[in-house]
Amino acid sequence: MNIYDKVGDPKPTGRCHVRNMSVYVYDLPSKFNSDLLRNCTRLNRYRNLCPDVVNHGLGQPLSVEANTPTKEPIWFAPYQFAAEEIFHARMLNHPCRTNDPARANLFYVPFYGGFHMSSMGRETNYTARDELAVQLAEHVEQQQPWWGRRNGKDHFMVLGRTAWDFMRPDHRQAVDYGPNTLLTLPAVRNMSVFVVERHPSEGNNQLGIPYPSYFHPYTVDQVRDWQRKVAGSSRPYLFSYIGARRKEGVAAAIRDELMQQCSESEHCMLLNCTADASKCSDPKEVLRVMMASRFCLQPRGDSFTRRSVFDSLLAGCLPVLFSRHTAYTQYQMYLPENTTSYSVFLWEDEKMISDNGSRKVNIEDELMKIGSGKVEEMRKVVVDLIPRLTFAHPNASGDKGFEDVVDVALSSLLRLVY
């Protein structure tokens, strides 16, 4: 299989879901996207990403559920930072795409900035580390005539990593600190940028999109089949926690506390990723735990957000959050304004444990206070959210019958720009 899989038929099919929307996809020089994937062994310092960037960024197929009538898989194990490749593949086959830039009201710049950033993490020369990002900004601003129509306000890009990875301040001198300065460049500041985690206070042009999870359907019938399965799933456990320990800081303290409380409760199912990493990397095992649980504990990850939040929503497991920046300040385009309709917020994580180490919040007690009727109401909201939190398969027809992550992003952006 080729490392870079183009969509078989790049011509849009079906109707655009938003009236008068027309999106032009820039055909950038390959150094800005597909060439990065061809060097997939160098994309990450810790692992070989070649198996992860196949299938339009969806990664390896899974046998979780029945395949489509054409025997095409709809379940995959995507790399959590692959949103930029998946989004690009969706746009090449999107019914709102136009090949005539004169007709476009949105312009998509398919730069794989996240893959580039991670490939340059060991580069000690900051000029070299930032070079491709600078070239991208110059290429769009200086060589594309449509930029000047609105000074880039109708242009957008998608980055599969957090905003922090592209906002390195000039004074930072840590050799092993990977990020570059893409989001600080003046041209990029004029654009809109979709990221899996936005900067809560400085990300005025940043829009949060979900991390890719496992489900990538072609049709609304496949979505409904999964929703019925999730809604009817037996959930013998009150709550569960899936995660690994951290070495230090607030993240380490809260994770230790969650593991401790879960292990002490007969109503909690614990999947310790430090002790059993193989199970935690198995999507079927992750889904099994989440679908057996009414609530899923979701502390922040290495940054504020965590891909597992979207895994739990896909499984109909109500997320229990410990930082407002894990979801509430990030994904306003996708999640209800009423946060209590789909999630539980217990306590800011740094306040979860007192200075003397004593426990401030007993999770089991707090979750037990939520009545079964309220739980069912919340799960209905979560099940209804599944389509819009899902990246449809890039080969899906424009007549697929539901709005996915990409559709929601485009319609939201059009309203913001105009």
Side-chain angles (χ1 to χ4, degrees):
M1 184 177 293
N2 292 331
I3 292 301
Y4 182 61
D5 293 307
K6 289 277 190 179
V7 174
D9 179 6
K11 296 180 181 179
T13 59
R15 282 185 169 186
C16 181
H17 69 293
V18 178
R19 185 180 179 186
N20 297 326
M21 177 184 286
S22 190
V23 186
Y24 182 73
V25 180
Y26 277 115
D27 185 15
L28 297 179
S30 58
K31 66 180 179 180
F32 293 120
N33 41 56
S34 60
D35 283 355
L36 292 166
L37 301 186
R38 293 189 180 99
N39 292 322
C40 55
T41 58
R42 302 179 181 180
L43 289 178
N44 188 289
R45 71 169 78 177
Y46 303 111
R47 58 185 283 192
N48 176 8
L49 292 188
C50 292
D52 298 294
V53 299
V54 297
N55 294 315
H56 320 299
L58 300 180
Q60 300 301 314
L62 304 171
S63 57
V64 175
E65 287 290 303
N67 290 337
T68 67
T70 57
K71 304 304 181 184
E72 292 293 332
I74 59 176
W75 290 89
F76 294 83
Y79 179 50
Q80 67 171 330
F81 299 127
E84 57 204 26
E85 185 187 357
I86 300 171
F87 199 108
H88 187 195
R90 278 277 288 122
M91 284 308 307
L92 291 177
N93 199 32
H94 200 280
C96 296
R97 180 189 176 193
T98 178
N99 291 320
D100 181 4
R103 296 181 55 196
N105 46 29
L106 292 176
F107 293 81
Y108 170 42
V109 181
F111 176 43
Y112 294 174
F115 285 125
H116 171 249
M117 185 285 300
S118 64
S119 72
M120 299 294 287
R122 292 186 180 275
E123 177 56 63
T124 58
N125 183 313
Y126 285 169
T127 299
R129 185 185 295 181
D130 295 337
E131 183 178 10
L132 192 64
V134 172
Q135 289 177 2
L136 181 280
E138 292 175 347
H139 176 84
V140 176
E141 183 180 25
Q142 299 175 15
Q143 300 183 38
Q144 301 300 324
W146 301 102
W147 176 271
R149 190 171 70 175
R150 302 198 67 197
N151 198 30
K153 295 297 183 183
D154 50 5
H155 285 55
F156 71 96
M157 68 170 62
V158 178
L159 299 173
R161 298 189 68 99
T162 71
W164 314 91
D165 291 326
F166 309 95
M167 300 180 71
R168 189 191 74 243
D170 293 337
H171 66 272
R172 188 179 291 278
Q173 296 299 317
V175 172
D176 289 331
Y177 195 81
N180 64 31
T181 57
L182 174 66
L183 290 181
T184 70
L185 302 177
V188 178
R189 285 185 177 273
N190 284 353
M191 302 168 61
S192 295
V193 184
F194 293 106
V195 289
V196 294
E197 178 178 325
R198 60 184 299 275
H199 193 299
S201 59
E202 297 180 25
N204 294 331
N205 67 327
Q206 300 164 15
L207 304 167
I209 61 172
Y211 285 84
S213 192
Y214 310 119
F215 186 44
H216 303 278
Y218 286 73
T219 68
V220 68
D221 287 340
Q222 293 165 346
V223 174
R224 288 171 179 163
D225 285 345
W226 179 249
Q227 288 176 306
R228 283 192 287 268
K229 184 178 180 64
V230 168
S233 178
S234 174
R235 299 177 185 269
Y237 290 94
L238 175 65
F239 64 113
S240 63
Y241 177 59
I242 302 174
R245 298 186 183 277
R246 291 293 186 267
K247 293 182 179 179
E248 57 187 16
V250 173
I254 184 64
R255 286 180 178 233
D256 286 348
E257 177 66 14
L258 298 188
M259 284 188 177
Q260 182 67 26
Q261 291 204 31
C262 186
S263 63
E264 291 174 355
S265 171
E266 62 181 15
H267 302 291
C268 185
M269 191 176 189
L270 175 64
L271 189 54
N272 186 335
C273 300
T274 302
D276 200 344
S278 62
K279 283 189 176 181
C280 293
S281 60
D282 181 353
K284 288 183 283 188
E285 183 67 18
V286 170
L287 287 174
R288 183 187 69 82
V289 172
M290 290 180 169
M291 290 184 71
S293 311
R294 281 166 272 173
F295 297 93
C296 288
L297 306 185
Q298 298 293 350
R300 59 185 181 179
D302 292 327
S303 58
F304 284 124
T305 60
R306 191 172 188 237
R307 173 226 168 116
S308 181
V309 171
F310 295 100
D311 296 339
S312 69
L313 291 169
L314 174 66
C317 188
L318 307 177
V320 179
L321 305 176
F322 302 88
S323 170
R324 297 186 184 277
H325 298 316
T326 299
Y328 303 155
T329 63
Q330 298 290 338
Y331 310 109
Q332 294 96 329
M333 295 187 300
Y334 294 91
L335 298 174
E337 183 177 358
N338 179 7
T339 60
T340 61
S341 69
Y342 70 92
S343 68
V344 174
F345 184 78
L346 283 186
W347 208 293
E348 286 290 351
D349 47 14
E350 64 269 20
K351 299 177 182 178
M352 183 79 174
I353 305 168
S354 65
D355 293 337
N356 63 8
S358 63
R359 182 172 297 170
K360 285 187 175 181
V361 178
N362 185 291
I363 296 171
E364 181 180 316
D365 289 347
E366 294 299 317
L367 296 181
M368 282 286 193
K369 295 176 184 177
I370 305 174
S372 59
K374 174 62 174 176
V375 170
E376 288 306 311
E377 289 177 11
M378 295 171 71
R379 183 170 303 111
K380 184 180 185 304
V381 172
V382 167
V383 170
D384 288 343
L385 286 173
I386 288 175
R388 65 191 291 111
L389 303 180
T390 296
F391 284 87
H393 195 285
N395 286 341
S397 164
D399 300 320
K400 62 186 185 300
F402 66 96
E403 284 193 327
D404 76 333
V405 167
V406 175
D407 297 325
V408 172
L410 293 178
S411 56
S412 299
L413 181 61
L414 189 68
R415 290 194 296 269
L416 287 172
V417 170
Y418 293 95

